[in-house]
Amino acid sequence: MVNGQRFPRDEWTNVTPTVLSKINRKLHLQPQNPISIIRQLIESNFQDFQKFNNHSPIVTTKQNFDDLFIPKDHPSRTKSDNYYFNKDVVLRAHTSAHQIQGLMSGSRKFLVSGDVYRRDEIDASHYPVFHQIEGVFYTDNDIQQLGTELKQLQEDKKTTNIQLVDDTVIKPENPYQTCHQPEAVDLIATHLKHSINSMIRNIFADEPNLKVRWIDAYFPFTSPSWEVEIEYKGEWLEVLGCGVVNQKIMNQAHLDDKIGWAFGMGLERLAMVLFGIPDIRLFWTEDERFINQFEPGKINKFMPFSKYPPCIKDISFWISENKWHENDFCELVRGVAGDLVETVELIDDFTHPKTNRRSLCYRINYRSMDRNVTNEEINIIQENVRNTVRDEFNVELR
């Protein structure tokens, strides 16, 4: 039973109690949480867009994959990458799962934000739950109307202080859709790029000499497609993906005569950069020493409080076959130890020259964000991890 709903289990079921405990936290709606502050800053750049912030994260696989024309054999559909209730129901892996809902809402410009779920590695910048915001705009597939829309946007928003690097051209590897006039795509793409550049400039308003670059990308739900990177403290940082909406998606929403753009971006990465937050687990803490440092509408640099010492444990085992999914192992460790797990790192991968058996050794770094942990406490957890790994993966512990 999850929020009053029952979901029959089947061979796809892999959602865990640890992950389910997060679905009602809604960090993007907690005013003092940096995730929410970033969301509000982005929304302030799209003031006339309708905002959808409360869609349930429990969606159908049709919404999450099929409606977006993600191929049946695409790696992003696997059990090792997603949390399935069953073969038909999943925790959304992206806010794009609500794109059709938004397109059918009657609003031609809207934002969707929320928590999304993916099985992943464990380190300071990865967590099984994170947050995204999705933006969609569409208008008449008419060159005159598109020109009017673009002129209005350019009058409203100036982006002169961005040092822009954009040498992308639409080409066979990143093509026009055959149903679109190239002139219309050029105009809607210019509208998209102007909107995104303006938003980035405003979010990073305190960063001098901001550099933004556009690079070609591929997504099943847009074409042409791009990723956007910013140069931050000497390094290029990917902040979002975007493009011209796949017309088949528009048609599903009965918008055959419209053309649109969409973007999607993660909120954690921006928040960690702008607020100087070193560990993604901090967003989930209820420690007042963290929460009270922030207030809506402002970007205050995070001031670290005492960092407690780590407790490091290794686990080694022989695997019975070469088929091994590290995401599944990390999910199991997190399921046993919760947020006490700071990192999980593969430190040895050995194949015996005579028996051809494969041995793996992982180093698990345990550390609490708000208290000291004892070696005795971690030994108990580590033993539970070892026993669960042995039983679940049919491995031979070393």
Side-chain angles (χ1 to χ4, degrees):
M1 179 77 71
V2 181
N3 289 348
Q5 293 180 275
R6 289 187 181 276
F7 302 100
R9 299 173 63 89
D10 62 18
E11 68 277 9
W12 283 85
T13 305
N14 68 353
V15 67
T16 64
T18 300
V19 166
L20 289 178
S21 70
K22 308 293 185 183
I23 68 174
N24 292 318
R25 290 286 302 276
K26 298 182 179 181
L27 302 188
H28 66 294
L29 299 180
Q30 297 180 12
Q32 282 185 263
N33 194 292
I35 299 296
S36 179
I37 295 170
I38 291 292
R39 172 190 61 81
Q40 293 173 68
L41 287 173
I42 293 170
E43 289 180 348
S44 70
N45 287 274
F46 298 96
Q47 294 185 1
D48 57 344
F49 278 49
Q50 187 171 353
K51 283 79 173 178
F52 299 105
N53 298 323
N54 261 314
H55 287 316
S56 170
I58 303 172
V59 300
T60 64
T61 52
K62 180 178 182 296
Q63 288 175 287
N64 203 64
F65 302 118
D66 299 332
D67 285 351
L68 302 171
F69 296 92
I70 297 173
K72 294 289 187 183
D73 59 351
H74 198 276
S76 65
R77 288 179 176 254
T78 65
K79 289 175 63 176
S80 292
D81 282 358
N82 297 282
Y83 293 100
Y84 283 89
F85 288 92
N86 54 50
K87 66 181 179 63
D88 298 318
V89 182
V90 66
L91 283 169
R92 65 186 170 209
H94 39 222
T95 48
S96 301
H98 303 288
Q99 197 168 108
I100 296 291
Q101 285 175 265
L103 289 169
M104 297 186 72
S105 70
S107 177
R108 69 184 188 95
K109 50 183 77 172
F110 59 88
L111 299 173
V112 180
S113 66
D115 42 334
V116 299
Y117 299 77
R118 295 181 196 168
R119 295 160 75 98
D120 211 338
E121 59 192 290
I122 298 177
D123 60 31
S125 61
H126 292 86
Y127 199 79
V129 193
F130 55 105
H131 297 77
Q132 286 185 341
I133 190 164
E134 175 105 356
V136 176
F137 166 88
Y138 69 85
T139 188
D140 294 335
N141 191 1
D142 176 270
I143 292 174
Q144 184 176 353
Q145 177 63 33
L146 283 163
T148 300
E149 293 276 3
L150 180 58
K151 183 179 179 181
Q152 178 67 42
L153 180 69
Q154 290 173 329
E155 289 176 352
D156 289 347
K157 297 181 179 180
K158 307 299 182 184
T159 59
T160 54
N161 72 337
I162 287 181
Q163 296 182 41
L164 184 63
V165 178
D166 183 4
D167 56 6
T168 60
V169 294
I170 299 175
K171 52 193 174 185
E173 295 81 9
N174 193 19
Y176 295 106
Q177 297 173 50
T178 56
C179 57
H180 291 155
Q181 299 178 72
E183 296 86 353
V185 175
D186 292 342
L187 286 168
I188 198 74
T190 301
H191 191 285
L192 164 65
K193 291 183 175 185
H194 198 88
S195 300
I196 297 301
N197 289 336
S198 179
M199 174 189 67
I200 292 173
R201 186 207 67 176
N202 291 334
I203 291 174
F204 288 85
D206 295 332
E207 298 297 326
N209 304 315
L210 181 66
K211 293 182 181 178
V212 177
R213 74 179 179 189
W214 290 68
I215 58 176
D216 291 322
Y218 166 78
F219 306 109
F221 29 81
T222 55
S223 185
S225 305
W226 301 278
E227 289 179 344
V228 181
E229 299 179 333
I230 61 168
E231 188 179 51
Y232 185 79
K233 295 185 177 179
E235 295 185 3
W236 287 102
L237 176 72
E238 178 194 332
V239 292
L240 62 86
C242 61
V244 178
V245 177
N246 186 328
Q247 193 62 36
K248 293 178 181 178
I249 295 176
M250 303 294 294
N251 296 348
Q252 284 186 99
H254 311 295
L255 299 170
D256 307 56
D257 59 340
K258 310 297 182 184
I259 187 170
W261 56 249
F263 75 84
M265 61 194 304
L267 300 181
E268 270 80 353
R269 176 173 290 181
L270 279 178
M272 292 177 80
V273 167
L274 289 169
F275 291 92
I277 295 171
D279 193 308
I280 197 168
R281 293 177 300 165
L282 279 164
F283 294 118
W284 295 90
T285 185
E286 296 181 272
D287 193 317
E288 292 185 355
R289 292 174 297 176
F290 177 79
I291 296 297
N292 290 341
Q293 291 189 35
F294 310 107
E295 56 182 298
K298 294 184 178 181
I299 296 179
N300 302 322
K301 291 298 183 183
F302 171 64
M303 299 295 293
F305 37 89
S306 299
K307 188 157 188 177
Y308 298 96
C311 187
I312 298 170
K313 302 291 181 181
D314 292 347
I315 177 172
S316 301
F317 46 84
W318 296 102
I319 61 176
S320 56
E321 56 185 51
N322 284 327
K323 186 178 179 181
W324 176 258
H325 294 290
E326 190 166 286
N327 284 355
D328 294 340
F329 173 73
C330 289
E331 184 61 31
L332 184 148
V333 173
R334 197 190 297 274
V336 174
D339 284 355
L340 286 180
V341 182
E342 183 173 60
T343 59
V344 173
E345 179 186 4
L346 179 65
I347 60 172
D348 185 59
D349 186 343
F350 167 73
T351 300
H352 195 285
K354 293 184 178 180
T355 65
N356 209 34
R357 295 182 74 196
R358 185 181 176 198
S359 171
L360 303 176
C361 180
Y362 284 91
R363 177 153 293 164
I364 305 175
N365 188 7
Y366 296 94
R367 190 200 310 260
S368 172
M369 303 302 298
D370 50 24
R371 65 181 178 86
N372 273 319
V373 294
T374 65
N375 193 56
E376 292 75 13
E377 174 188 4
I378 298 304
N379 280 342
I380 294 172
I381 293 173
Q382 178 72 359
E383 188 61 24
N384 287 336
V385 168
R386 286 173 55 85
N387 292 337
T388 307
V389 168
R390 179 196 62 208
D391 296 341
E392 292 293 324
F393 295 133
N394 190 30
V395 300
E396 180 183 336
L397 298 173
R398 299 183 64 185

